[in-house]
Amino acid sequence: MKNYYITTPIYYCNDLPHLGHAYTNIACDILARYHRLDNKNVYFLTGTDEHGQKVEQSAKSKNTSTKELTDRMSKNFLDLTKILNCTNNDFIRTTEERHKISVHKLWNILLKNDQIYLDKYKGWYSIRDEAFFDEKELKKINSEYYAPTGAKVEWIEEESYFFRLSNWTDKLIEFYNKNPDFVAPDTRFNEVKSFVKSGLKDLSISRTTFNWGIPVPNNNNHVIYVWLDALQNYLSALEFPDTDSKLYKDFWPGTHIVGKDILRFHSIYWPAFLMAANLPPPLRIYAHGWFTNEGNKISKSLGNVIDPFQIINEFGLDEFRYFLFSQVPFGDDGDFSIKALVNRINNDLSNDYGNLVQRVCSFIYNNCNGEIEIIDNLINEDEDLLENSNNIFKFYKECMDKDQIDKAIKFIFKLISLANIYVNNQEPWKLKKTNPNRMKNVLSILIEIIKRIAIMTLPIMPNKSQKLLLYLNFDFQNINFDNYKVIFKNQIKIEKPYPLFPKYEK
Ligand code: ME8
């Protein structure tokens, strides 16, 4: 069995989770569920990033302790995974002892390999991004300097340990050339490569002006830079430093899904740290785009932060999951709007998918006593539809294997549309009088196609798809992609159908 390790970023504990965090979590959950259905051994990790100046400042501004704030916020992110129906195997917090041990071990290996030295950092720092910036990357507005993210930067001068990142420029380029799929989408990979080609400077990896972090081993005046700390979570959860552990052996290296905002850390610093510690770099980094809300940047100061809990409450979880990944090509920036969400629910889900299921199942319930016969005597149109569903499944898998979730969804809807056309052409309501046996066969073929559609929608809309499979008497608990082409062999009896995706009307 092949192994597949997938991770979300670990989220800062300075504030409540929002749509952006839900988006990455759902992306990973869709891919984790997909690969499980594809018979892979999957490990899915998410968690919270709890150290650093940003979290410390947030606690101060909220008049609370860092411990109280991080416990409370981390719980919110954990609750988010549950409300989103995420199938994560673990939830890591960087304040856990297992993580501290792992970060210390990484530090000590880097030290032993002569990758770390002590000096003084003089330069710009953005607390919001927890990142150092070169002056040439900044924008000056009045007398203040701003990072490309729009965050204000401050000048800092302090003793600091440095990582010899500059030594890794050529090795990173060589690694990128050997691994053309290391970063996706390609446009973002090109940005990374050109940044590295322009030359890398050594990276400050410790701070002395606050102490909310993991102390540098044997020097309590320094805390480890929050990104060196945070990135290591991906290994801590696999029981590093025990590189003989089953988890580490089975799952490292893995795939990181991140927002484009943090690609530099994942595609440059992280592989450099790992190579410098003689550890394998990750397999792949997929950087998705940025969501706006009704056309505006999502920001606390604009007061337009979208609360995923509220949206799910009003519109439904699977509807929300479907919307996010059908609306925007995965990798591109996208916009969240209620109008677009309602359109997707009422058109794609209710009119196309829901209506196909409803019209077929109601007909069977009303005209065949709810009984679905075993398929026999295929005619050309039946063969064509089954053949098309096989081809569509192949394309769907090809897309999902490349993390192209939106394209895979388009193929599912192609099959829904072909099935609706087949109903219209075969006209079972006429066959009822003229050829009842043929009618039964048409309906059975449609049930087989609906089963195939439901198998493909399982990763994206797990609740609705499981309910549908259960309603059709298919054992969804034990279903995987091997069942896709295996035509059902038992007579099935269905109960009175219910609308799978009711229209949203307000
Ligand atoms: O960066 N659109 O944590 P963070 C899409 N702790 N995705 C969004 C988004 C938006 N508007 N806003 C946030 C950190 N995200 C670090 C990560 S990993 C070792 C450490 C998602 O809480 C997206 O995945 O700022 C983005 O990369 C992440 O949240 C940033 O979360």
Side-chain angles (χ1 to χ4, degrees):
M1 209 184 209
K2 270 195 177 167
N3 297 313
Y4 179 78
Y5 181 37
I6 184 159
T7 68
T8 71
I10 48 168
Y11 305 112
Y12 286 127
C13 270
N14 61 319
D15 222 323
L16 292 169
H18 61 68
L19 173 91
H21 306 116
Y23 184 62
T24 322
N25 283 357
I26 298 170
C28 291
D29 188 56
I30 290 175
L31 294 170
R33 286 176 185 270
Y34 166 80
H35 286 286
R36 283 193 202 103
L37 285 168
D38 203 21
N39 292 319
K40 288 192 197 107
N41 181 25
V42 171
Y43 206 76
F44 166 19
L45 176 71
T46 184
T48 43
D49 185 357
E50 309 195 7
H51 292 130
Q53 211 171 359
K54 169 159 149 159
V55 173
E56 191 187 69
Q57 278 194 352
S58 176
K60 273 194 191 129
S61 75
K62 291 178 166 71
N63 251 331
T64 185
S65 69
T66 44
K67 166 96 176 82
E68 193 281 328
L69 179 72
T70 50
D71 283 350
R72 186 155 49 85
M73 289 300 164
S74 183
K75 169 82 172 40
N76 289 321
F77 282 99
L78 180 65
D79 289 347
L80 179 69
T81 62
K82 294 188 177 144
I83 206 93
L84 296 175
N85 198 5
C86 285
T87 51
N88 51 302
N89 300 80
D90 194 356
F91 184 97
I92 191 163
R93 300 183 57 184
T94 55
T95 46
E96 289 173 83
E97 190 60 19
R98 61 171 169 165
H99 178 65
K100 182 176 162 192
I101 293 168
S102 160
V103 171
H104 273 178
K105 180 67 186 185
L106 177 69
W107 182 281
N108 286 330
I109 301 175
L110 292 174
L111 198 66
K112 190 173 123 250
N113 288 358
D114 189 27
Q115 299 293 327
I116 292 179
Y117 62 93
L118 187 63
D119 202 343
K120 192 167 180 194
Y121 179 77
K122 260 199 217 169
W124 296 103
Y125 191 75
S126 153
I127 298 178
R128 198 170 88 193
D129 303 311
E130 293 284 17
F132 303 93
F133 286 99
D134 219 58
E135 190 151 323
K136 63 175 190 278
E137 296 179 272
L138 305 175
K139 232 193 206 160
K140 192 174 177 190
I141 303 171
N142 300 325
S143 53
E144 312 271 25
Y145 284 87
Y146 292 85
T149 54
K152 207 160 134 184
V153 293
E154 59 181 48
W155 183 260
I156 57 175
E157 287 192 21
E158 61 191 60
E159 187 183 75
S160 175
Y161 286 95
F162 282 81
F163 169 68
R164 296 189 194 281
L165 183 63
S166 58
N167 284 356
W168 291 90
T169 307
D170 293 342
K171 282 168 200 132
L172 280 170
I173 298 286
E174 195 186 314
F175 172 71
Y176 298 151
N177 289 339
K178 277 196 191 140
N179 297 279
D181 295 327
F182 178 59
V183 173
D186 283 346
T187 44
R188 299 220 202 280
F189 200 8
N190 292 337
E191 286 162 20
V192 169
K193 285 183 204 159
S194 67
F195 183 83
V196 174
K197 276 183 193 153
S198 70
L200 297 170
K201 284 190 180 155
D202 289 351
L203 179 72
S204 163
I205 50 165
S206 74
R207 301 289 313 275
T208 54
T209 46
F210 65 93
N211 53 25
W212 180 236
I214 299 179
V216 165
N218 304 317
N219 189 346
N220 278 341
N221 295 331
H222 290 248
V223 289
I224 295 175
Y225 174 41
V226 66
W227 271 100
L228 176 56
D229 163 346
L231 287 161
Q232 182 65 4
N233 90 86
Y234 303 130
L235 290 192
S236 312
L238 299 182
E239 297 178 346
F240 185 87
D242 180 4
T243 49
D244 288 329
S245 87
K246 185 159 166 42
L247 276 181
Y248 179 86
K249 279 182 152 166
D250 280 354
F251 293 108
W252 190 252
T255 296
H256 304 308
I257 308 288
V258 299
K260 64 178 185 179
D261 54 322
I262 54 174
L263 180 57
R264 187 185 292 186
F265 304 95
H266 283 82
S267 60
I268 301 173
Y269 302 166
W270 182 223
F273 294 152
L274 290 169
M275 290 198 275
N278 310 113
L279 291 164
L283 271 188
R284 177 170 167 86
I285 322 282
Y286 196 100
H288 66 68
W290 210 240
F291 257 92
T292 48
N293 180 6
E294 313 277 352
N296 297 309
K297 186 172 178 236
I298 300 175
S299 98
K300 232 183 143 185
S301 52
L302 290 174
N304 66 350
V305 175
I306 302 163
D307 176 358
F309 294 88
Q310 250 179 24
I311 300 286
I312 290 166
N313 227 349
E314 181 162 1
F315 297 94
L317 171 62
D318 282 4
E319 287 81 351
F320 176 61
R321 289 174 63 116
Y322 171 75
F323 167 75
L324 292 177
F325 289 88
S326 57
Q327 183 69 7
V328 180
F330 192 50
D332 290 4
D333 290 337
D335 187 45
F336 180 89
S337 84
I338 297 291
K339 196 171 156 212
L341 171 61
V342 171
N343 266 340
R344 289 273 170 194
I345 295 175
N346 289 350
N347 294 329
D348 305 6
L349 295 182
S350 193
N351 284 353
D352 296 344
Y353 191 2
N355 190 40
L356 170 70
V357 176
Q358 186 71 16
R359 70 201 289 213
V360 172
C361 294
S362 300
F363 192 88
I364 295 171
Y365 184 75
N366 293 328
N367 298 287
C368 311
N369 200 24
E371 281 165 12
I372 303 156
E373 307 294 330
I374 297 159
I375 298 172
D376 62 23
N377 284 334
L378 297 179
I379 65 166
N380 282 350
E381 285 84 342
D382 310 340
E383 303 261 19
D384 284 353
L385 184 61
L386 289 168
E387 177 65 18
N388 274 329
S389 79
N390 289 344
N391 291 334
I392 282 176
F393 183 55
K394 192 173 135 256
F395 295 134
Y396 160 88
K397 286 195 72 198
E398 279 171 11
C399 294
M400 288 297 260
D401 285 335
K402 286 189 252 163
D403 308 317
Q404 295 171 339
I405 304 171
D406 54 295
K407 289 202 177 123
I409 289 178
K410 287 209 172 77
F411 281 111
I412 305 176
F413 275 77
K414 174 85 189 142
L415 184 55
I416 292 174
S417 155
L418 289 177
N420 271 319
I421 293 171
Y422 176 87
V423 183
N424 296 345
N425 290 345
Q426 298 304 315
E427 302 180 304
W429 49 91
K430 283 193 184 160
L431 292 171
K432 193 181 160 194
K433 282 191 199 125
T434 56
N435 190 348
N437 279 342
R438 171 73 194 142
M439 173 196 77
K440 283 183 185 166
N441 226 27
V442 164
L443 295 168
S444 304
I445 284 174
L446 282 162
I447 291 298
E448 173 62 25
I449 295 295
I450 291 173
K451 178 204 84 182
R452 294 180 180 198
I453 293 166
I455 290 179
M456 288 195 284
T457 56
L458 266 171
I460 301 140
M461 296 180 277
N463 280 343
K464 298 276 181 167
S465 316
Q466 286 173 6
K467 262 179 136 176
L468 175 56
L469 288 166
L470 193 66
Y471 168 76
L472 296 175
N473 294 272
F474 294 114
D475 174 14
F476 74 85
Q477 304 273 20
N478 293 315
I479 249 173
N480 62 29
F481 287 148
D482 296 343
N483 303 99
Y484 185 87
K485 290 183 194 171
V486 183
I487 294 180
F488 69 91
K489 292 281 180 312
N490 302 323
Q491 202 197 38
I492 298 170
K493 184 148 169 76
I494 54 168
E495 302 297 318
K496 193 173 176 6
Y498 60 92
L500 188 60
F501 296 103
K503 271 209 158 59
Y504 179 84
E505 279 161 320
K506 199 169 190 178

